[in-house]
Amino acid sequence: EVRLVESGGGLVQPGGSLRLSCTASGFTFVNFNMNWVRQAPGKGLEWVSFISSGITTTHYADSVKGRFRISRDNAKKALYLQMSSLRADDTAVYYCATEGFDDWGQGTLVTVSS
Amino acid sequence: EIVLTQSPATLSLSPGERATLSCRASQSVSFYLAWYQQKLGQAPRLLIYDASKRATAIPARFSGSGSGTDFTLTVSSLEPEDFAVYYCQQRYHWPLTFGGGTRVQIK
């Protein structure tokens, strides 16, 4: 069974940084591209970032480009999202998802507020 | 970026009725369009990918059609568990984008 578990969310002040993690199990992580998607409270879905299985390719939404960095550790079966210069509009539940968006984690809430 | 416009914003129907949801892209996405269902407090669930292919374990009452800029998700006969929010997503061009969603609620 595929399992994705996000962690690292919490309350952070505007301008601060946070690193999210997503640990994977139940599939061969090293073979899969991965994504981050977020959802602001009461709002729709927003794709955030993509990383290829071999870590050679990354893509970002314009709203986070230059502030967020996606990475992965295939040996640890882990996906990361380093977020910096956080703003109030980054407040959202952040989900990790497999390349085809077939499988999603339960999400971790990031709140940016003073 | 490709903008996806979903209509209607809200659909009020009764169980057993047919639901027809629309997604229109600002430019062609070929057939690289997916549909998701999301219930309150849950992660989205993939229903349809490549415009018309049902994802694993998705019931046959869900079907997708379309190509280019106009797409449709049809639920042939609504079950009580189908009342939820539905999103389309294009996977043709970076950045990937989602539509704003259609809420299917009980009439």
Side-chain angles (χ1 to χ4, degrees), chain A residues 6-106:
Chain A
E6 300 93 340
S7 60
L11 176 63
V12 61
Q13 292 191 337
S17 298
L18 208 58
R19 188 176 88 151
L20 305 183
S21 299
C22 169
T23 56
S25 60
F27 66 105
T28 308
F29 182 74
V30 67
N31 290 345
F32 283 76
N33 305 326
M34 295 292 294
N35 294 275
W36 286 100
V37 177
R38 68 183 181 182
Q39 187 169 36
K43 302 297 184 183
L45 301 171
E46 180 186 17
W47 171 82
V48 172
S49 187
F50 162 95
I51 187 167
S52 63
S53 58
I55 318 179
T56 54
T57 302
T58 58
H59 294 285
Y60 297 91
D62 289 345
S63 59
V64 307
K65 202 173 290 183
R67 300 187 301 120
F68 290 12
R69 190 174 77 88
I70 191 171
S71 63
R72 64 191 293 165
D73 185 330
N74 286 334
K76 294 183 178 178
K77 299 182 183 179
L79 175 72
Y80 305 104
L81 187 67
Q82 179 68 47
M83 305 185 295
S84 59
S85 303
L86 283 162
R87 313 185 301 224
D89 61 1
D90 294 317
T91 295
V93 174
Y94 285 74
Y95 297 99
C96 62
T98 52
E99 65 178 67
F101 300 88
D102 306 76
D103 297 287
W104 298 62
Q106 85 291 346

Side-chain angles (χ1 to χ4, degrees), chain B residues 55-67:
Chain B
T56 303
I58 300 303
R61 64 181 182 273
F62 291 93
S63 63
S65 63
S67 65

Side-chain angles (χ1 to χ4, degrees), chain B:
Chain B
E1 97 178 19
I2 295 175
V3 176
L4 299 179
T5 302
Q6 291 189 241
S7 61
T10 304
L11 202 50
S12 297
L13 295 168
S14 301
E17 289 193 295
R18 182 184 191 89
T20 303
L21 288 66
S22 174
C23 177
R24 177 163 289 178
S26 59
Q27 62 189 80
S28 176
V29 298
S30 184
F31 56 86
Y32 295 106
L33 189 103
W35 291 94
Y36 300 82
Q37 177 193 69
Q38 188 179 34
K39 298 180 182 178
L40 194 62
Q42 296 184 15
R45 177 173 73 141
L46 177 67
L47 299 175
I48 301 288
Y49 65 98
D50 292 351
S52 61
K53 298 176 182 176
R54 268 190 304 276
T56 303
I58 300 303
R61 64 181 182 273
F62 291 93
S63 63
S65 63
S67 65
T69 60
D70 289 296
F71 299 86
T72 301
L73 174 70
T74 301
V75 188
S76 59
S77 177
L78 284 165
E79 296 288 339
E81 62 269 25
D82 299 336
F83 291 92
V85 180
Y86 292 81
Y87 295 95
C88 58
Q89 178 207 35
Q90 65 83 18
R91 303 177 179 185
Y92 184 66
H93 193 271
W94 302 103
L96 306 185
T97 49
F98 287 92
T102 290
R103 179 179 303 278
V104 179
Q105 64 183 25
I106 299 177
K107 187 174 182 180

